Amino acid sequence: MNADDDSWRLNRMNRMRFVLGCVMVLLVAPMRGVQAQDALALSNGATQVSDIAFKFTTTQTFDAERLRLQMATQGPSFLDHLKDAVPLLSGRNYPFDPVELQRDVVRLRQFYARNGFPDASVDYPASQFNASSNRIRIIFTIDEGTPVTIRTLDFSLNTPLSADLTERWEELKERLSAAEGRRFTDFERLSIENQILSLLQNRGFAFASVDGDVSVDEQAFSADLAFEVSPGPYGTFGEILVEGNESVSRQTVLRELTFKVGDEFSRQRLITGQQQIFGLNLFRLALAEVPEQEPDSLVTVRYRLRESKLRYISAQTGFARESGLSVETEFRHRNFLGDARQFSAGASSRTGLLAATGTGRKPVRSVTTNLSLRQPWLGWTRLSGGLSPFFSWLDEPNQDTRFYEFGLTSSLVLEILPFRNLTAQHTFSRAVPLTSTGLGDRFGVYNRSILSTGMGFGWLNDFLVPRRGWFVRPALELGGLLGGSAVQYAKASVDATAYVPITRRTSVILSLTTGWLAPFKDSKDQLDPQNEFRFDAIRFYAGGASDVRGWALNALGPQVAVADTVTVDADGTPHAENARFEAIGGRAKVSFRSELRFPVPGLGDSWRAAVFLDGGAVSSERVLDAGGAQVFSTDGVAEFRDRRFVSGGDFRFGAGTGIRYRTPVGMLRLDLAYKLNPADADLRRPEDIVLHEQGFRSDPPSDRFLRRLNVHVSIDRAF
């Protein structure tokens, strides 16, 4: 046998192996999927997308969610997969279009090119087709390649600047030079141009222009940027045009501006005027612009407006686990008697319907009605004031508080910066204690005169759902300072929150609350039953969806188990009617919240998971006798010792996990929390404690696992 025969046999064996391999692929493909271009060849008009994934051969600069935003092809979300897993439900269908997939490849390459990766490779060789379900899983393989970096920055002015502005210009160039060495993107170039224009346009040069030129060295993967700057003529504000105002006078619009004719032109002041006008809540559109004109020393500016409906009625409803269903309605007139004056009439109620009561706490019920008149301009565009008569009814069984109140609130608001207001208000009201049958017989009617002030300052990248920044809110209340008040006290508190991003989609939120209450004069004795009743709504409490989440609203700290009556059946079985916990609160409070938020695999950018650790304490303790038994006052209410400051041994801690979903109105939060070191009362039912203290039952059972758990559902900011 010669060499040619051996070669022929070898080739024949190879051909047989190839045919056998093809047969195996055809047999196994329906079960295990087909890859590469065969996936597209086997797809048809009814093929659906089962998933879109990304593989990176080297570096990964952008997350999958951002890449999906560049594409037209879409795949099922986590909710779609969840619906498919539930009987009688099904998720959306996502048809597969091979032509659109090719376009998506081009879109992704262009996206990478715009962001400094001109040689990025985008393909889908690992995609898989499942013939049995006629679904395709698209897997993009991406090699970002070498990024283009900024090598040099060059700036040239075709007109000399004043000495003062030249100094600022040199400082700006020094700051911009930090971009050298960074990845070159279109956004980076535009950012540099905008910073140059901001400097000039805020110092009188309304018609400044910047001509940017980019030279890319493809061999060295570097870019040289040159900017030719033309300041144009120095100008002042000239004619101010106002368009689109129908029921609102021109004078009302002009008084909101922070400049007048003849002032040095400043784009920032032009935009500030736009914000002030929009803040009147009279317009659904307010645009500020420099209309097309010949460059001149007098700059004509224009505000284009579109008015909102002057009158409207709104209604909304909500739900919280601890207070149940709530409803609110309001009528508002945006331009009452002209001058941008606002009048409103509203009513709100916490009904207590559907509230959870399994923790021994009863739902809070309330009704509030009010009229409000707001004057937006009090001699200064940043100063506004208001008057608001009100009536409210409150039933808070967890604090043994039930009364109605009517009065008048007057307020002043000073806008220091956008969304940074200093407020001062005075409320004079008359409170009427109630019982279940009518006017209260234990305590008399009394007056309240409360002067309060507060402000918020800091910086947040998003006021609705922030990820970066910090915010501090100090507040001060003084009761009885202006006289005519049956409650005299000083109360100060500070809320501080920090938002720290770890990655683009992972962040840490830290929050701290401290407060201190100092009753004085006739209110100093907090053990006096009348003072105790009047200060129920003033003292500090801890626990709740935006506080220490292991506990229900205001439930952290000393509590008293009470019941309306204790009855005994004919067979000798005792019952505590309407048993509940009443919170004592304290004169001081310290609490903290810490939370780590991170993305959920398979969900979109609006979803986050969270793990958290909270802790807090209030400065009071229940009084025990020498034998360790509870001491009661003459009216049957547990006595307590009211310390001035929080003790380290008072702190309670809770930990848990949750899910977050960003909505147009705030963050929807679902939290499951666990009490790490609960007090004895936290693990017992209030009816068991009442019957034990009345001698009907032995030591009540405790250490119930379910009573360590707490669930919160809410929609708001982080804390």
Side-chain angles (χ1 to χ4, degrees):
M1 185 177 293
N2 56 33
D4 291 337
D5 292 333
D6 290 339
S7 176
W8 180 85
R9 289 189 179 91
L10 182 61
N11 290 336
R12 182 181 179 186
M13 292 177 62
N14 288 337
R15 287 194 296 270
M16 292 178 62
R17 288 171 181 166
F18 173 76
V19 172
L20 182 60
C22 292
V23 172
M24 291 298 296
V25 167
L26 293 175
L27 292 174
V28 177
M31 296 177 290
R32 298 187 59 185
V34 179
Q35 294 186 330
Q37 296 300 325
D38 291 340
L40 270 65
L42 294 175
S43 65
N44 53 55
T47 302
Q48 302 292 318
V49 177
S50 64
D51 187 28
I52 298 176
F54 299 89
K55 292 175 59 178
F56 297 89
T57 59
T58 53
T59 59
Q60 179 182 349
T61 304
F62 309 103
D63 59 36
E65 188 63 29
R66 187 172 181 186
L67 296 177
R68 290 190 185 98
L69 293 176
Q70 317 304 319
M71 300 168 49
T73 303
Q74 298 295 314
S77 65
F78 173 80
L79 291 180
D80 291 314
H81 290 304
L82 186 62
K83 290 179 181 178
D84 287 334
V86 177
L88 305 179
L89 294 178
S90 62
R92 286 178 53 194
N93 290 325
Y94 295 86
F96 172 65
D97 184 346
V99 176
E100 200 64 59
L101 179 63
Q102 300 299 324
R103 293 172 179 162
D104 285 333
V105 170
V106 175
R107 294 184 183 105
L108 289 172
R109 288 173 180 166
Q110 292 175 341
F111 169 77
Y112 271 98
R114 290 195 305 271
N115 286 278
F117 295 96
D119 291 343
S121 171
V122 181
D123 206 347
Y124 43 87
S127 297
Q128 300 172 341
F129 177 77
N130 191 312
S132 62
S133 62
N134 198 13
R135 289 174 174 262
I136 186 170
R137 182 171 188 254
I138 303 171
I139 304 175
F140 288 100
T141 300
I142 298 177
D143 184 350
E144 294 183 333
T146 304
V148 174
T149 58
I150 299 175
R151 182 166 55 189
T152 61
L153 288 172
D154 181 67
F155 305 94
S156 62
L157 277 170
N158 62 12
T159 303
L161 301 174
S162 65
D164 176 57
L165 194 53
T166 297
E167 182 179 349
R168 292 176 178 268
W169 167 248
E170 294 300 326
E171 292 175 354
L172 176 62
K173 288 198 300 182
E174 183 69 23
R175 292 199 305 270
L176 294 178
S177 65
E180 293 181 356
R182 290 206 294 252
R183 178 163 47 90
F184 169 70
T185 66
D186 289 342
F187 177 81
E188 187 75 43
R189 176 180 58 81
L190 291 174
S191 175
I192 293 173
E193 292 180 1
N194 286 334
Q195 291 182 65
I196 296 172
L197 288 175
S198 294
L199 172 67
L200 297 174
Q201 291 178 348
N202 289 330
R203 296 300 299 270
F205 297 93
F207 305 102
S209 63
V210 179
D211 184 14
D213 181 65
V214 181
S215 177
V216 177
D217 185 343
E218 296 182 354
Q219 299 298 323
F221 288 94
S222 61
D224 299 309
L225 278 64
F227 299 92
E228 184 177 347
V229 182
S230 175
Y234 174 83
T236 59
F237 283 106
E239 185 180 6
I240 303 174
L241 303 177
V242 179
E243 299 177 0
N245 56 312
E246 298 175 0
S247 62
V248 182
S249 69
R250 171 183 168 85
Q251 184 58 37
T252 298
V253 174
L254 293 181
R255 79 181 184 195
E256 296 298 317
L257 305 183
T258 59
F259 62 87
K260 62 182 183 299
V261 174
D263 289 348
E264 179 184 74
F265 177 84
S266 167
R267 175 165 289 277
Q268 182 58 52
R269 296 174 73 181
L270 182 68
I271 299 302
T272 299
Q274 175 190 16
Q275 295 170 343
Q276 294 289 128
I277 293 171
F278 196 75
L280 293 174
N281 293 322
L282 288 170
F283 306 100
R284 52 181 171 171
L285 179 67
L287 299 178
E289 61 186 8
V290 177
E292 187 175 348
Q293 58 193 283
E294 288 295 325
D296 191 58
S297 60
L298 288 179
V299 184
T300 299
V301 298
R302 177 169 60 196
Y303 289 97
R304 292 193 293 162
L305 312 173
R306 183 176 299 171
E307 293 186 358
S308 301
K309 292 183 179 180
L310 294 183
R311 303 173 183 84
Y312 74 90
I313 297 177
S314 65
Q316 58 186 9
T317 184
F319 177 81
R321 179 177 176 269
E322 295 157 331
S323 57
L325 188 68
S326 63
V327 293
E328 181 177 344
T329 183
E330 181 186 44
F331 165 79
R332 175 168 294 189
H333 193 301
R334 301 178 190 265
N335 196 25
F336 184 67
L337 301 178
D339 205 30
R341 194 176 293 108
Q342 294 188 30
F343 170 80
S344 63
S348 62
S349 175
R350 290 179 291 179
T351 66
L353 297 175
L354 305 178
T357 58
T359 59
R361 298 182 63 80
K362 303 301 179 182
V364 180
R365 298 182 301 154
S366 67
V367 175
T368 300
T369 62
N370 69 283
L371 303 175
S372 179
L373 184 66
R374 176 180 176 269
Q375 174 62 47
W377 190 85
L378 293 176
W380 188 21
T381 185
R382 295 184 179 273
L383 185 63
S384 61
L387 293 174
S388 179
F390 67 90
F391 171 86
S392 65
W393 170 83
L394 173 67
D395 181 12
E396 170 48 296
N398 307 303
Q399 296 173 2
D400 194 22
T401 301
R402 193 168 186 265
F403 65 92
Y404 72 79
E405 183 178 16
F406 59 92
L408 175 69
T409 297
S410 53
S411 61
L412 290 173
V413 179
L414 175 62
E415 182 183 2
I416 301 174
L417 292 170
F419 306 103
R420 303 289 188 272
N421 297 332
L422 173 63
T423 62
Q425 68 178 30
H426 177 259
T427 299
F428 183 82
S429 62
R430 192 164 181 82
V432 182
L434 300 171
T435 65
S436 59
T437 57
L439 295 179
D441 53 3
R442 292 172 58 200
F443 310 118
V445 176
Y446 64 98
N447 295 333
R448 293 169 21 115
S449 176
I450 311 298
L451 181 65
S452 60
T453 184
M455 70 171 298
F457 58 91
W459 175 84
L460 299 174
N461 70 318
D462 185 329
F463 284 97
L464 194 61
V465 186
R467 286 193 68 252
R468 182 192 300 271
W470 58 277
F471 205 74
V472 178
R473 289 181 288 266
L476 176 65
E477 284 185 21
L478 297 172
L481 182 67
L482 300 182
S485 178
V487 289
Q488 298 97 19
Y489 66 92
K491 181 179 180 181
S493 63
V494 177
D495 291 316
T497 303
Y499 303 87
V500 183
I502 305 300
T503 67
R504 199 184 75 83
R505 301 183 65 194
T506 303
S507 60
V508 171
I509 305 172
L510 305 171
S511 185
L512 175 69
T513 297
T514 62
W516 185 68
L517 170 68
F520 55 82
K521 293 184 178 179
D522 295 338
S523 300
K524 194 169 185 178
D525 183 8
Q526 290 288 289
L527 288 177
D528 177 79
Q530 185 161 260
N531 282 337
E532 187 272 333
F533 172 81
R534 292 175 178 177
F535 274 79
D536 276 338
I538 300 174
R539 294 167 65 84
F540 288 104
Y541 300 90
S546 297
D547 203 75
V548 185
R549 284 163 281 185
W551 280 259
L553 180 66
N554 299 339
L556 187 150
Q559 300 182 93
V560 179
V562 298
D564 291 345
T565 59
V566 175
T567 60
V568 181
D569 292 344
D571 60 358
T573 303
H575 297 281
E577 303 296 333
N578 194 26
R580 60 196 181 277
F581 283 119
E582 290 183 3
I584 293 175
R587 289 175 53 184
K589 170 186 175 177
V590 177
S591 68
F592 73 88
R593 281 81 61 200
S594 60
E595 178 171 303
L596 172 66
R597 287 185 179 174
F598 49 90
V600 182
L603 295 184
D605 201 45
S606 295
W607 291 87
R608 292 290 185 276
V611 292
F612 55 84
L613 173 67
D614 305 333
V618 293
S619 62
S620 62
E621 60 182 354
R622 296 180 63 176
V623 178
L624 305 178
D625 63 17
Q630 175 67 54
V631 176
F632 288 88
S633 61
T634 55
D635 60 357
V637 178
E639 289 188 350
F640 58 91
R641 181 179 294 110
D642 212 358
R643 300 190 305 269
R644 296 177 60 189
F645 301 102
V646 171
S647 170
D650 297 333
F651 274 86
R652 304 292 174 186
F653 300 94
T657 185
I659 192 76
R660 312 282 181 262
Y661 179 69
R662 177 170 182 163
T663 74
V665 295
M667 187 70 79
L668 176 64
R669 300 192 289 132
L670 173 63
D671 288 320
L672 175 63
Y674 179 80
K675 301 179 181 66
L676 296 177
N677 60 334
D680 289 341
D682 295 326
L683 303 179
R684 292 177 165 88
R685 299 189 309 163
E687 51 267 38
D688 291 336
I689 296 177
V690 170
L691 294 177
H692 166 68
E693 292 177 342
Q694 296 290 328
F696 291 100
R697 186 168 294 175
S698 60
D699 191 32
S702 65
D703 199 24
R704 299 187 178 190
F705 176 78
L706 290 180
R707 298 191 70 83
R708 286 178 175 259
L709 298 176
N710 203 31
V711 177
H712 294 285
V713 180
S714 60
I715 181 167
D716 54 13
R717 280 203 328 201
F719 296 121

